[in-house]
Amino acid sequence: MAKPDGVVPGNIYLFRHGETEWSLSGQHTGTTDLPLLPEGEQAARELADVLKHHHFERVLVSPLQRAKRTAELAGLGDFEVEPLLREWDYGGYEGVTTKEISAQIGHPWEVFVDGVVAGDTPGETIDEVGHRAQQVIDKVWPDLSNGDVALFGHGHALRVLTATYLRIGPRFGSQLILDAGSMSVLSHHRNTRCIGMFNLSPWRLMQDF
């Protein structure tokens, strides 16, 4: 049950999928369904050691294979596929690096500021990604009354979700670093939503968690 002051006892655990070929090269990977590299699979297996004694009330996972495989190797295979957790749709910038986009438009490009252009898909605005993030938070909020929730997803979308959880606007996500294979925890202090931990690698987690 929720505490008398209205604070739920559970936390939201965020897991960015392990390394893929494009996350390693810096190519924007929205709708392209790439597998994990061997290094990404190993990082996910290391998460299993960290989480083996931890119980989650609910586990939601992006439909893309890199997120699903990370959850499976992390020992959380009993999950629900949640399309709202998919990565930002980069539209015409799918598969393109920040350096290449900046050269195309003639100035340094930042997705949180400049957005994307249409391509094979229409792409998404930051507000659309933020709206999806809020829907995910609303969906798992009742579960937090009973314990923790795990979300497996992607770098940009989870950064936007973090900013949305903190109620400070999706563009704050540009000020967060979220590496492949990392774990973060969204928590609370009394009635204030807080970041409990952020962007910790499996190695660091095994030392500190």
Side-chain angles (χ1 to χ4, degrees):
M1 297 296 291
K3 297 178 182 178
D5 61 3
V7 177
V8 294
N11 298 314
I12 298 176
Y13 284 65
L14 305 180
F15 299 90
R16 184 184 171 191
H17 64 78
E19 201 81 79
T20 68
E21 182 180 352
W22 281 11
S23 66
L24 193 61
S25 64
Q27 293 169 264
H28 286 83
T29 320
T31 57
T32 304
D33 200 7
L34 295 178
L36 296 179
L37 291 172
E39 297 86 346
E41 293 200 345
Q42 180 57 35
R45 291 188 183 96
E46 291 171 0
L47 280 174
D49 291 333
V50 175
L51 300 173
K52 59 186 176 184
H53 299 304
H54 198 91
H55 172 73
F56 291 101
E57 292 296 321
R58 194 173 190 183
V59 181
L60 300 184
V61 179
S62 159
L64 296 171
Q65 64 171 310
R66 55 192 183 273
K68 292 192 290 186
R69 184 61 173 157
T70 299
E72 290 168 355
L73 293 174
L76 300 177
D78 187 18
F79 56 72
E80 302 170 53
V81 173
E82 178 48 72
L84 293 169
L85 279 172
R86 67 188 185 276
E87 179 59 297
W88 197 321
D89 181 347
Y90 299 116
Y93 294 151
E94 182 75 10
V96 188
T97 67
T98 295
K99 182 178 180 180
E100 291 168 336
I101 297 167
S102 299
Q104 289 175 18
I105 65 177
H107 62 81
W109 174 81
E110 167 57 63
V111 67
F112 288 92
V113 176
D114 301 301
V116 303
V117 297
D120 291 338
T121 63
E124 286 181 291
T125 67
I126 190 169
D127 290 331
E128 288 172 330
V129 181
H131 180 65
R132 283 201 282 114
Q134 186 61 61
Q135 289 179 284
V136 173
I137 294 168
D138 291 343
K139 187 167 189 172
V140 302
W141 194 259
D143 300 291
L144 297 175
S145 294
N146 299 312
D148 296 333
V149 169
L151 305 178
F152 284 79
H154 310 272
H156 277 132
L158 290 180
R159 289 161 69 186
V160 170
L161 188 145
T162 298
T164 303
Y165 174 84
L166 296 173
R167 300 186 177 123
I168 52 179
R171 283 178 176 78
F172 178 75
S174 67
Q175 296 174 261
L176 301 170
I177 295 173
L178 195 60
D179 295 324
S182 64
M183 185 183 93
S184 305
V185 181
L186 304 182
S187 188
H188 40 76
H189 178 66
R190 299 190 178 92
N191 289 314
T192 302
R193 299 185 187 188
C194 305
I195 294 176
M197 298 188 296
F198 208 77
N199 196 39
L200 295 186
S201 67
W203 178 86
R204 177 69 183 276
L205 287 163
M206 285 187 279
Q207 305 300 311
D208 298 343
F209 189 57

Short mmCIF file of all heavy atoms in Angstrom, two decimals, residues 3 82 125:
data_model
loop_
_atom_site.label_atom_id
_atom_site.label_comp_id
_atom_site.label_asym_id
_atom_site.label_seq_id
_atom_site.Cartn_x
_atom_site.Cartn_y
_atom_site.Cartn_z
N LYS A 3 2.29 4.83 1.18
CA LYS A 3 2.51 5.39 2.50
C LYS A 3 1.50 6.50 2.77
O LYS A 3 0.94 7.09 1.85
CB LYS A 3 3.93 5.92 2.60
CG LYS A 3 4.98 4.82 2.46
CD LYS A 3 6.37 5.40 2.52
CE LYS A 3 7.42 4.31 2.34
NZ LYS A 3 8.80 4.84 2.35
N GLU A 82 6.10 -3.86 -24.22
CA GLU A 82 5.40 -2.58 -24.15
C GLU A 82 5.86 -1.68 -25.31
O GLU A 82 6.96 -1.11 -25.28
CB GLU A 82 5.68 -1.89 -22.81
CG GLU A 82 5.04 -0.52 -22.66
CD GLU A 82 3.58 -0.53 -23.05
OE1 GLU A 82 2.77 -1.09 -22.30
OE2 GLU A 82 3.26 0.02 -24.14
N THR A 125 8.54 14.08 -32.71
CA THR A 125 8.99 15.26 -31.99
C THR A 125 9.34 14.86 -30.55
O THR A 125 8.92 13.80 -30.07
CB THR A 125 7.90 16.34 -31.94
OG1 THR A 125 6.80 15.86 -31.13
CG2 THR A 125 7.39 16.67 -33.34
#
